[in-house]
């Protein structure tokens, strides 16, 4: 078995400059890494909110709607985490989903009550804010030509 207890200085490694460049590239676009978790939690809550607030029988169309939009927001969050350099351009889509969540109780639902309206407005407002944070930070950290 090889003796690996005598580790040398990393600066003598032949690929040290390439490894540093790769490390800098990987971390370069991660300014909004702290937003990924809240976006995922928002999607999770959006998908589960009909059962949390117990409006599954009074608004069946909104149940399906919130489930689908919640899954979409959660998938965006996973995409932000997995491939941030490609996915942060879609943060505007999250803003659009937020606007849709705000108007959905009247478009999708039938005479929604106050609790359903407040729930969707809060989810929509948070999606807009988080989408704007992602879009702004991604634009700020984009490489300059």
């Amino acid at each position: 078995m090889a003796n690996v207890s005598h580790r040398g200085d990393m600066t003598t490694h032949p690929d040290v400059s390439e490894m540093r460049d790769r490390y800098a590239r990987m971390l370069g676009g991660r300014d909004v890494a702290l937003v990924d978790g809240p976006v995922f939690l928002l999607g999770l809550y959006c998908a589960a909110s009909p059962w949390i607030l117990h409006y599954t029988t009074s608004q069946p169309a909104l149940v399906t709607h919130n489930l689908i939009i919640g899954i979409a927001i959660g998938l965006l969050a996973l995409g932000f985490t997995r491939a941030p350099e490609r996915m942060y351009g879609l943060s505007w889509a999250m803003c659009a989903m937020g606007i849709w969540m705000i108007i959905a109780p009247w478009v999708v639902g039938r005479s929604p009550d106050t609790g359903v309206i407040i729930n969707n407005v809060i989810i929509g407002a948070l999606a807009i804010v988080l989408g704007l944070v992602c879009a702004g930070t991604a634009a700020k950290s984009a490489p300059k030509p």
Side-chain angles (χ1 to χ4, degrees), residues 10-19:
M10 190 65 184
T11 57
T12 61
H13 193 279
D15 296 328
V16 71
S17 62
E18 181 183 335
M19 289 188 294

Side-chain angles (χ1 to χ4, degrees), residues 40-107:
F40 183 75
L41 290 175
L42 180 68
L44 186 64
Y45 174 76
C46 180
S49 65
W51 292 275
I52 294 171
L53 299 178
H54 304 291
Y55 63 85
T56 55
T57 55
S58 66
Q59 298 290 333
L62 274 175
V63 170
T64 306
H65 170 269
N66 281 19
L67 180 64
I68 291 170
I69 295 294
I71 290 171
I73 291 172
L75 288 174
L76 272 177
L78 291 176
F80 292 162
T81 303
R82 182 77 176 122
E85 62 280 350
R86 287 185 275 160
M87 291 296 292
Y88 279 123
L90 289 176
S91 54
W92 293 107
M94 196 166 70
C95 294
M97 283 193 279
I99 293 169
W100 174 248
M101 282 297 294
I102 291 172
I103 62 172
W106 296 280
V107 176

